[in-house]
Amino acid sequence: MKKRNKKHEKRVRKLIVGTTLCALILSVSTYAWFIGMKTVNVSSFDISIATTDSLMLSLNGTDWDDEITINEENYNTDSYVGNTNSWGGEGLVPISTVGAMDPNTSKLIMFEKGSLTATAGGYRLMSSRVNNTAGTETDGYVAFDLFIKNLSGEEYYTNYDPLNEEAIYLTPESTVKASANGGEQNTGIENSVRVAFAQVGRVIATTDTANTITGINCAGGAGVTKICDQRDAQIWEPNDTKHVENAINWYNESCEKRTGADVFDEASYNGACGTVEDGTAYSTYVVSGVIDETDTVDVYDGEDYNGYTDSISLEAEDGKLVDLDTFTDTEKNLQGVNRPTFMTLAPNSITKVRVYVYIEGQDVDNYDFASLGKKISVSFGFTKERFYGEDIDYDGNPELPADVVRDVSAVDYDATGAITEITPNVITWSSGAKQFRVPNTIESFTFKDEGILKTATKNEGSWQIN
């Protein structure tokens, strides 16, 4: 495959919906939400979004383009009058959510720590609902409205039916990682970040009345097809298999197997919890409702951790934890026919999507010292393309357009043991094929093979690993 030239880069920009975020933690003395984390302050950063020719974007329902930027300065002024956007206020605070929308407010239902008390094998958790039911969103997370106009097709399907909708994929280059520009690099704060995309409702794409577009809400009516009471937000969980050593050590020291209902009875805890290892994905048992003292919930409850399941629900309900099925990086990195749909959009429509960026407090990687990392960066993109040229072994003649060329090389490697800590994390490892998939723009990378650090370096097109 030929590398992308400048013309191709421009075409790629029009194909991918891309977003870049940088978050700054100002205080090095804060703590993760279980113990008392106060804030993870947000610095000034931009979100740049570009689209394919058949998708147009807007922040106000009037001005449409294939590329827009939203940041701390314009998140309110460039949006529509009466918006409820928020840029985090004084800082991000860990929250927990299953992705359900409140049909009365058209906002995400979220929960925060109400109380936390140490137990013999973890921490007793109580939670209260985030008070975002009136006016703008509360401080502690990023939230904004994004309007997506999908111009493919001529038929507008008035009734809600996912079978009428088109697949949208998360680009393999989408990442959340620790920034190289500040803070410690190995605390793992980036492993607790989540991005939620909540579809509120939609109207026909020919709608040109801004108030009709911006006024889309969960109630529907007046030509609006309501969505948010039909499906939960799609939540992206980056770095699902990544766990830094400090987070693992914290978990090993704090958690003990739970066998009894009384969280304050030392006899309810005895034995070892489940193993957490880097390179393996584990469940996140998120908060689905208000948890009070009668619910006796421990933060480590769940089959993957302390083994106690009486506080886990198969369906979201008040006062329970739920094993949430997020869209993970493991799924994002699947190729060819195995590549899963990230979300769907109706043809000939304008959809109001509410975007949330937050820290999931129930993530096992959220421990006291994670905030010492200070800076994280988030980037993601959307595309309608299911296949890249490499997925079908395309022979390169004639040359493919840039939007279906991933520019990835296969680097063979006979691993001794488990491959972990791959840096940069845009590189993927296939244990079955014994190959790394490396973007052609990368000249070197590092990883650990059974705990031993290895360095791979490109030399005149060939890779050397030592």
Side-chain angles (χ1 to χ4, degrees):
M1 294 289 181
K2 295 182 179 180
K3 291 187 177 180
R4 298 173 183 166
N5 55 31
K6 291 183 179 179
K7 181 178 179 181
H8 280 173
E9 290 289 349
K10 184 176 181 181
R11 295 176 68 181
V12 169
R13 201 162 53 87
K14 288 183 175 292
L15 177 76
I16 298 174
V17 182
T19 303
T20 301
L21 309 171
C22 267
L24 171 65
I25 300 174
L26 298 180
S27 173
V28 297
S29 60
T30 56
Y31 297 93
W33 96 310
F34 293 147
I35 313 303
M37 187 176 199
K38 296 179 180 178
T39 60
V40 181
N41 287 351
V42 181
S43 69
S44 177
F45 59 82
D46 293 344
I47 300 178
S48 299
I49 308 174
T51 71
T52 66
D53 291 335
S54 62
L55 293 176
M56 301 292 288
L57 303 175
S58 178
L59 296 174
N60 58 18
T62 300
D63 302 312
W64 297 91
D65 205 338
D66 60 5
E67 185 173 0
I68 61 174
T69 298
I70 183 171
N71 52 43
E72 188 177 17
E73 284 70 39
N74 75 355
Y75 78 92
N76 187 34
T77 57
D78 282 12
S79 191
Y80 58 95
V81 175
N83 73 81
T84 57
N85 298 347
S86 173
W87 212 249
E90 295 181 357
L92 302 182
V93 294
I95 61 175
S96 194
T97 179
V98 297
M101 292 286 282
D102 185 337
N104 297 315
T105 66
S106 302
K107 297 175 183 176
L108 194 65
I109 299 173
M110 298 172 287
F111 300 92
E112 59 188 351
K113 181 187 67 178
S115 175
L116 193 87
T117 305
T119 66
Y123 304 92
R124 192 282 308 275
L125 174 66
M126 293 171 57
S127 70
S128 58
R129 182 172 172 180
V130 172
N131 186 20
N132 65 337
T133 56
T136 59
E137 299 274 1
T138 60
D139 293 348
Y141 49 89
V142 171
F144 62 92
D145 289 329
L146 176 66
F147 302 93
I148 305 177
K149 182 184 291 187
N150 185 11
L151 297 175
S152 63
E154 296 184 2
E155 180 70 21
Y156 178 73
Y157 299 98
T158 303
N159 296 328
Y160 171 81
D161 187 347
L163 295 178
N164 297 327
E165 300 178 355
E166 297 179 309
I168 305 296
Y169 301 95
L170 191 66
T171 61
E173 294 79 13
S174 301
T175 60
V176 172
K177 57 185 179 181
S179 173
N181 296 324
E184 298 298 326
Q185 297 295 300
N186 300 310
T187 68
I189 185 65
E190 69 276 12
N191 298 335
S192 298
V193 174
R194 301 289 191 271
V195 184
F197 302 87
Q199 294 187 36
V200 178
R202 56 177 170 82
V203 294
I204 190 170
T206 54
T207 303
D208 57 6
T209 304
N211 288 342
T212 300
I213 297 170
T214 61
I216 293 173
N217 56 45
C218 291
V224 176
T225 301
K226 58 182 181 179
I227 300 177
C228 64
D229 63 342
Q230 304 287 334
R231 65 167 71 142
D232 290 342
Q234 177 62 286
I235 298 177
W236 172 35
E237 179 185 353
N239 306 322
D240 58 311
T241 64
K242 297 182 181 298
H243 315 284
V244 299
E245 183 177 356
N246 289 326
I248 295 173
N249 291 343
W250 182 279
Y251 165 78
N252 289 337
E253 182 68 21
S254 301
C255 187
E256 286 195 18
K257 184 177 180 63
R258 182 181 176 187
T259 57
D262 187 348
V263 291
F264 293 122
D265 184 355
E266 291 189 8
S268 294
Y269 297 88
N270 185 40
C273 286
T275 300
V276 172
E277 297 178 339
D278 186 34
T280 302
Y282 300 94
S283 296
T284 301
Y285 300 97
V286 304
V287 177
S288 67
V290 173
I291 299 175
D292 61 28
E293 69 279 1
T294 64
D295 292 310
T296 63
V297 173
D298 193 291
V299 298
Y300 293 127
D301 285 350
E303 187 65 34
D304 283 359
Y305 306 116
N306 67 14
Y308 188 78
T309 59
D310 284 359
S311 59
I312 310 298
S313 176
L314 295 179
E315 301 290 340
E317 64 179 75
D318 289 345
K320 293 287 188 179
L321 302 179
V322 174
D323 185 357
L324 185 64
D325 182 17
T326 56
F327 188 94
T328 65
D329 267 7
T330 297
E331 294 174 296
K332 176 203 71 178
N333 291 327
L334 294 175
Q335 299 175 338
V337 295
N338 295 318
R339 192 178 189 198
T341 299
F342 179 67
M343 65 179 180
T344 59
L345 293 173
N348 195 24
S349 68
I350 297 173
T351 302
K352 184 177 185 178
V353 179
R354 192 147 182 86
V355 181
Y356 289 83
V357 182
Y358 63 99
I359 295 174
E360 173 54 61
Q362 278 289 101
D363 193 295
V364 71
D365 299 293
N366 202 345
Y367 69 107
D368 266 18
F369 307 136
S371 60
L372 298 178
K374 295 187 178 180
K375 280 191 176 183
I376 56 173
S377 64
V378 182
S379 62
F380 59 84
F382 304 140
T383 179
K384 288 187 178 181
E385 294 294 343
R386 183 187 188 191
F387 294 131
Y388 287 90
E390 66 183 71
D391 294 327
I392 60 169
D393 295 325
Y394 187 76
D395 65 8
N397 185 27
E399 182 180 357
L400 289 173
D403 50 313
V404 292
V405 178
R406 188 184 287 175
D407 284 343
V408 173
S409 298
V411 179
D412 295 328
Y413 178 69
D414 191 5
T416 302
I419 299 297
T420 60
E421 299 184 34
I422 304 172
T423 303
N425 60 8
V426 293
I427 298 169
T428 61
W429 164 254
S430 171
S431 58
K434 293 186 177 182
Q435 286 181 341
F436 291 101
R437 309 293 289 181
V438 186
N440 289 338
T441 56
I442 292 176
E443 300 295 322
S444 66
F445 65 95
T446 62
F447 62 95
K448 287 186 177 180
D449 180 354
E450 206 170 37
I452 300 175
L453 183 65
K454 301 283 186 177
T455 299
T457 305
K458 185 189 296 184
N459 184 12
E460 296 182 353
S462 298
W463 285 91
Q464 297 176 344
I465 300 177
N466 51 47

